Amino acid sequence: MAIISISGGVHSGRKALAESLGRKLGYRVLSQEELISDAAKEFGVSQERLESALLHKPPTLEDRGIESLHRVHCVQAALAKAVRSDNVVYHGHAGHLLAGVPHHLRIKATANLEYRVDAAMERSEVSREDAIQDINHADEEREDWANWIYGDEVDQPLTYDVAINLARVSTASACIILAETATSRYQMTTESHKIVDDVALASEIRARIGLDRGVCDDRIDVEADHGVVTITGSVRSLDDVNRVGQLTRRVPGVKCVLSKLEAW
């Protein structure tokens, strides 16, 4: 059992690769659109706002884009929950929000501009000039978003475990390579399953706190370990300290809360 995420620019072939790999392995295929829909239902946030947070860096960095970051936490929590018990191939943004999970195979689907332009013209029925403009714009926005979330270039080689050039390697051949890699090197263990559970719990708590408009939470960090939740950082008042504790204890799976919060 493995978790597989496939990232890549628009018209890079990542969707077709994900669907083919899912069929080959018998894994569930989860799209970015489905993930956003799941997160919207779970947290009561509109799909439009979640999509914007997952695709675009905030227009200003006032308050570190904290509202957009809250929505990213919602998506992270939904993704972590989706992969807890399923063999999953996810394609889209946010796969790297599962950082630190040992049985997570991170794939970069890439292709040259000519391949992507041809795909865009065929699927979207646009001119070559419009296709190039759309691809370049999408790539710039994707890189800006990744730099905001991860603090690093999205295309750094070490960000991924495998990169596949789909302009030169067929989808069928890529599936053979990736299926062998997933089944031989990225199988779930007891420890890695615990890590997924911890990520799911911590990210849900972080999202629930963030969605409570009464708490100023931009200086809070949350960690989970077998249901024991440690909260560090600072908030405005002792009332906020108590409020964060209350919100945390309401989340299913929380066994104990260790609050190290300080009031400003």
Side-chain angles (χ1 to χ4, degrees):
M1 180 174 181
I3 300 166
I4 300 172
S5 65
I6 303 178
S7 303
V10 294
H11 303 298
S12 62
R14 73 184 185 197
K15 178 181 178 181
L17 177 60
E19 291 174 346
S20 295
L21 186 58
R23 286 193 297 270
K24 184 173 183 62
L25 291 172
Y27 282 18
R28 175 191 175 196
V29 177
L30 177 65
S31 69
Q32 179 175 287
E33 294 75 21
E34 291 172 306
L35 176 62
I36 290 174
S37 176
D38 291 345
K41 294 173 184 175
E42 174 94 15
F43 293 98
V45 181
S46 74
Q47 293 190 39
E48 292 77 11
R49 289 186 174 183
L50 290 175
E51 182 177 9
S52 178
L54 200 60
L55 297 178
H56 309 297
K57 184 179 77 172
T60 69
L61 290 182
E62 183 179 355
D63 295 328
R64 297 193 296 170
I66 193 65
E67 288 192 9
S68 291
L69 194 58
H70 291 157
R71 295 164 193 151
V72 172
H73 286 309
C74 293
V75 175
Q76 180 183 29
L79 179 58
K81 285 187 175 184
V83 302
R84 287 172 75 179
S85 57
D86 285 338
N87 296 332
V88 176
V89 180
Y90 170 72
H91 61 95
H93 277 45
H96 283 76
L97 295 176
L98 296 175
V101 177
H103 64 288
H104 175 204
L105 174 58
R106 303 165 301 171
I107 300 166
K108 171 68 178 294
T110 187
N112 60 32
L113 182 60
E114 195 64 31
Y115 176 98
R116 297 171 68 191
V117 168
D118 288 346
M121 293 172 63
E122 179 180 347
R123 295 170 193 168
S124 303
E125 297 183 352
V126 296
S127 68
R128 178 178 177 80
E129 291 74 17
D130 286 344
I132 293 173
Q133 183 176 355
D134 291 346
I135 289 169
N136 287 337
H137 177 70
D139 285 351
E140 289 174 4
E141 289 212 321
R142 179 172 172 268
E143 185 170 344
D144 286 345
W145 181 88
N147 288 339
W148 168 57
I149 291 294
Y150 306 123
D152 201 359
E153 295 290 336
V154 69
D155 289 324
Q156 288 292 327
L158 293 180
T159 306
Y160 301 91
D161 301 306
V162 180
I164 295 287
N165 183 351
L166 294 174
R168 294 181 59 85
V169 179
S170 70
T171 299
S173 296
C175 282
I176 294 172
I177 296 169
L178 297 173
E180 173 62 24
T181 302
T183 55
S184 64
R185 297 287 302 275
Y186 289 85
Q187 294 301 292
M188 179 183 286
T189 65
T190 301
E191 178 61 23
S192 65
H193 190 278
K194 173 201 172 290
I195 291 172
V196 175
D197 286 344
D198 289 344
V199 170
L201 183 58
S203 56
E204 178 169 2
I205 292 167
R206 194 66 185 79
R208 297 293 180 190
I209 294 172
L211 292 175
D212 188 287
R213 296 300 182 90
V215 177
C216 184
D217 67 315
D218 60 316
R219 302 180 185 181
I220 292 178
D221 289 315
V222 178
E223 293 184 1
D225 183 4
H226 277 305
V228 177
V229 178
T230 302
I231 306 175
T232 57
S234 61
V235 288
R236 294 173 300 187
S237 65
L238 290 176
D239 286 342
D240 280 358
V241 172
N242 293 330
R243 179 62 177 163
V244 168
Q246 292 171 359
L247 290 168
T248 301
R249 292 183 183 91
R250 291 177 186 173
V251 177
V254 174
K255 300 175 183 177
C256 175
V257 179
L258 303 178
S259 177
K260 300 180 181 180
L261 287 175
E262 298 179 351
W264 297 352

